[in-house]
């Protein structure tokens, strides 16, 4: 199987470049030579009463009942919301609920969450509904009833079935579909890799620097070990950035001492990634992502919005410009191939559903609107 590779198009970000071959280097240079806005002091005030996340009574932790059809998938943030009844416990949620709850529980910006929720409904759920939404795990029988779907776009696959559209290779702690056979459960080896980066530290804190190092290692390992490695325009370059910035920005516990970035220690990390056990014997239980007790979210008014999200690539770019590449291996590990601008012709930008194979579809939406990496499932059937 042969893939086409496009080097560093960030069309959905305000970083787009005019010539493709050296975009990654160019973007990285521009990012690292500019001054990050985070260095400008922002005043963030800690308000314990407003920031404490309720994990008692109706929001007490209840694990999923998979036998009864509950869905959990690749996103620890959404899995935890369903386990605490901030989203429906069955794991099938409306966009409006996903948007409201990610803002109110974690302090995610309304701009980011609205985009993610609608993107999810289009590519992983059922947008043709009075109440569009999607499963945070795999396909669910409650779709048609709850979301009033007409079935015109085929059976929605949910986030777990969103490979290349939403879910990517080189994830933070999930496996690559081709090499692991599963891309939505935690791969304990990958979790061990990030965990080990602070395990001997006197005061472990998994901050953005730590996640940046992990991202670099994850990308290089996938590129070197997965012959079918693919880093899609949206799922890879953009959405995958969230895999590595959301934990330090939103899983970290805020306090009067650390009102802005908080501290993400070992126990909190394990709790959000559904891990128990001691340092030398970490154990994963599928679907048990849990918001810890005494967890304080981001300060009100300091939500993680697109402008803040856009600052974080400074950290990645300085240490790892290759994160701005998109493309994949050509059937052999380490054979990363990138596209030149001339290769983006009609063959690769053909309309969804035409006979070029799924890989060419990777470029149909991003090529036209620059924000996706595939088509709603029904368009492919
Ligand atoms: C707003 C709606 C959201 C949607 C639709 C969404 C969707 C996803 C998807 C599809 C993945 C898999 C990406 C990949 O394979 O690389 C993912 C991963 C992830 N998400 Fe979310 N997410 C949302 C919100 C959040 C929030 C609010 C948080 C944290 C507070 C979060 C934290 C994460 C993390 C840490 C990962 C990486 C998991 C891993 O690699 O083990 N997400 N999310």
């Amino acid at each position: 199987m042969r893939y086409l590779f496009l080097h560093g198009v960030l069309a959905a970000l305000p970083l787009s470049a005019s010539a493709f071959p050296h975009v990654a280097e160019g973007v990285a240079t521009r990012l690292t030579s500019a001054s990050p806005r985070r260095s400008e002091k922002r005043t963030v005030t800690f308000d314990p009463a407003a920031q404490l996340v309720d994990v008692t009574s109706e929001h007490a932790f209840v694990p999923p009942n998979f036998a009864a059809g509950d869905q959990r998938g690749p996103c620890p943030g959404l899995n935890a919301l369903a386990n605490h009844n901030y989203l429906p416990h069955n794991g099938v949620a409306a966009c409006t609920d996903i948007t409201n709850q990610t803002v109110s529980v974690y302090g995610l910006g309304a701009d980011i969450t609205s985009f993610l929720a609608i993107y999810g409904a289009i590519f992983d759920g059922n947008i043709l509904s009075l109440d569009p939404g999607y499963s945070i795990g795999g396909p669910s029988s409650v779709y048609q009833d709850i979301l009033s779907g007409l079935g015109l776009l085929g059976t929605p696959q949910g986030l777990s079935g969103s490979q290349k559209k939403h879910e990517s290779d080189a994830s933070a702690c999930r496996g690559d579909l081709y090499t692991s056979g599963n891309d939505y459960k935690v791969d304990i080896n990958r979790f061990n890799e990030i965990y080990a980066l602070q395990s001997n530290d006197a005061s472990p804190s998994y901050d953005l620097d730590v996640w940046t190092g992990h991202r670099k290692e994850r990308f290089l390992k996938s590129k070197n070990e997965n012959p079918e490695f693919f880093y899609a325009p949206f799922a890879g370059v953009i959405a995958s950035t969230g895999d590595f910035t959301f934990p330090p920005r939103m899983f970290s516990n805020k306090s009067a001492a650390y009102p802005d970035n908080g501290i993400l220690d070992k126990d909190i990390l394990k709790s959000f990634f559904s891990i128990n056990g001691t340092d030398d014997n970490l154990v994963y239980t599928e679907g048990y992502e849990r918001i810890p007790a005494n967890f304080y979210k981001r300060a009100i008014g300091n939500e993680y919005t697109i402008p803040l999200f856009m600052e974080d690539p400074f950290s990645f770019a300085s240490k790892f410009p290759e994160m701005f590449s998109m493309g994949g291996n050509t059937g052999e590990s380490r054979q990363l191939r990138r596209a030149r601008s001339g290769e983006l012709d009609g063959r690769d930008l053909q309309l969804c559903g035409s006979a070029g194979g799924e890989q060419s579809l990777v470029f149909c939406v991003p090529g036209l609107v620059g924000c996706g990496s595939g088509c709603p499932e029904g368009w492919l059937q």
Side-chain angles (χ1 to χ4, degrees):
M1 198 176 291
R2 291 289 174 267
Y3 293 152
L4 176 73
F5 300 96
L6 173 63
H7 198 161
V9 174
L10 293 173
L13 303 176
L15 296 169
S16 59
S18 53
F20 292 133
H22 304 294
V23 168
E25 291 82 355
V27 168
T29 306
R30 264 179 284 152
L31 282 173
T32 47
S33 59
S35 302
R37 278 194 295 132
R38 194 169 283 280
S39 61
E40 294 164 16
K41 277 235 177 287
R42 279 181 298 131
T43 307
V44 178
T45 308
F46 180 63
D47 177 346
Q51 289 176 237
L52 181 64
V53 176
D54 183 9
V55 290
T56 61
S57 55
E58 68 166 316
H59 294 299
F61 171 77
V62 178
N65 181 346
F66 291 121
D70 290 349
Q71 298 293 325
R72 298 294 182 268
C75 178
L78 298 181
N79 289 350
L81 289 181
N83 290 340
H84 285 275
N85 200 28
Y86 284 105
L87 289 178
H89 196 259
N90 64 16
V92 180
C95 289
T96 44
D97 288 338
I98 293 171
T99 304
N100 292 339
Q101 298 301 347
T102 51
V103 172
S104 72
V105 175
Y106 296 119
L108 180 58
D111 48 6
I112 295 183
T113 187
S114 302
F115 174 77
L116 286 176
I118 292 168
Y119 184 94
I122 294 173
F123 290 96
D124 316 318
N126 200 337
I127 196 71
L128 288 187
S129 165
L130 294 176
D131 195 10
Y134 47 92
S135 159
I136 65 173
S140 168
S141 58
V142 296
Y143 263 123
Q144 304 302 320
D145 299 334
I146 288 189
L147 303 173
S148 335
L150 300 174
L152 295 179
L153 300 181
T155 304
Q157 296 300 301
L159 293 184
S160 296
S162 68
Q163 229 257 338
K164 299 196 196 87
K165 291 176 285 188
H166 214 145
E167 197 287 320
S168 176
D169 286 341
S171 302
C173 297
R174 265 70 186 173
D176 290 7
L177 186 59
Y178 185 78
T179 46
S180 306
N182 182 294
D183 57 357
Y184 56 87
K185 294 184 196 173
V186 167
D187 175 339
I188 194 68
N189 295 321
R190 291 192 178 189
F191 183 84
N192 272 315
E193 284 166 15
I194 174 86
Y195 193 81
L197 295 177
Q198 290 284 288
S199 59
N200 294 324
D201 202 281
S203 313
S205 177
Y206 295 84
D207 62 15
L208 189 65
D209 271 354
V210 175
W211 286 90
T212 302
H214 183 56
R215 184 174 196 181
K216 180 177 178 183
E217 291 307 311
R218 286 290 335 111
F219 183 93
L220 294 176
K221 273 200 175 171
S222 283
K223 188 179 91 171
N224 293 336
E225 293 170 6
N226 179 358
E228 299 293 318
F229 169 63
F230 189 72
Y231 217 50
F234 177 77
V237 176
I238 298 166
S240 188
T241 296
D243 286 13
F244 300 86
T245 64
F246 282 17
R249 298 301 181 219
M250 286 179 289
F251 288 162
S252 58
N253 204 6
K254 313 302 181 288
S255 61
Y258 301 99
D260 189 1
N261 291 326
I263 294 287
L264 175 49
D265 66 18
K266 285 180 173 177
D267 286 340
I268 299 174
L269 183 73
K270 288 187 335 192
S271 185
F272 274 116
F273 278 84
S274 196
I275 305 285
N276 274 301
T278 52
D279 283 13
D280 55 355
N281 184 28
L282 297 171
V283 179
Y284 167 61
T285 309
E286 183 184 358
Y288 276 52
E289 289 84 359
R290 184 172 190 154
I291 302 171
N294 301 314
F295 180 72
Y296 295 88
K297 64 177 175 179
R298 294 180 69 88
I300 314 297
N302 189 39
E303 285 76 19
Y304 190 57
T305 55
I306 288 175
L308 291 182
F309 177 75
M310 289 302 303
E311 291 177 2
D312 288 336
F314 282 101
S315 164
F316 292 128
S318 61
K319 294 180 184 152
F320 182 41
E322 207 170 352
M323 70 154 275
F324 293 109
S325 297
M326 62 180 76
N329 288 334
T330 56
E332 289 173 60
S333 302
R334 302 166 190 251
Q335 297 301 309
L336 191 83
R337 181 166 179 254
R338 298 156 178 157
R340 296 183 189 85
S341 52
E343 289 180 297
L344 275 181
D345 56 18
R347 179 172 60 89
D348 304 302
L349 291 171
Q350 51 198 298
L351 289 175
C352 300
S354 61
E358 194 189 349
Q359 309 320 327
S360 66
L361 296 180
V362 164
F363 287 103
C364 77
V365 171
L368 297 173
V369 299
C371 69
S373 57
C375 302
E377 207 57 35
W379 300 5
L380 297 172
Q381 293 169 354

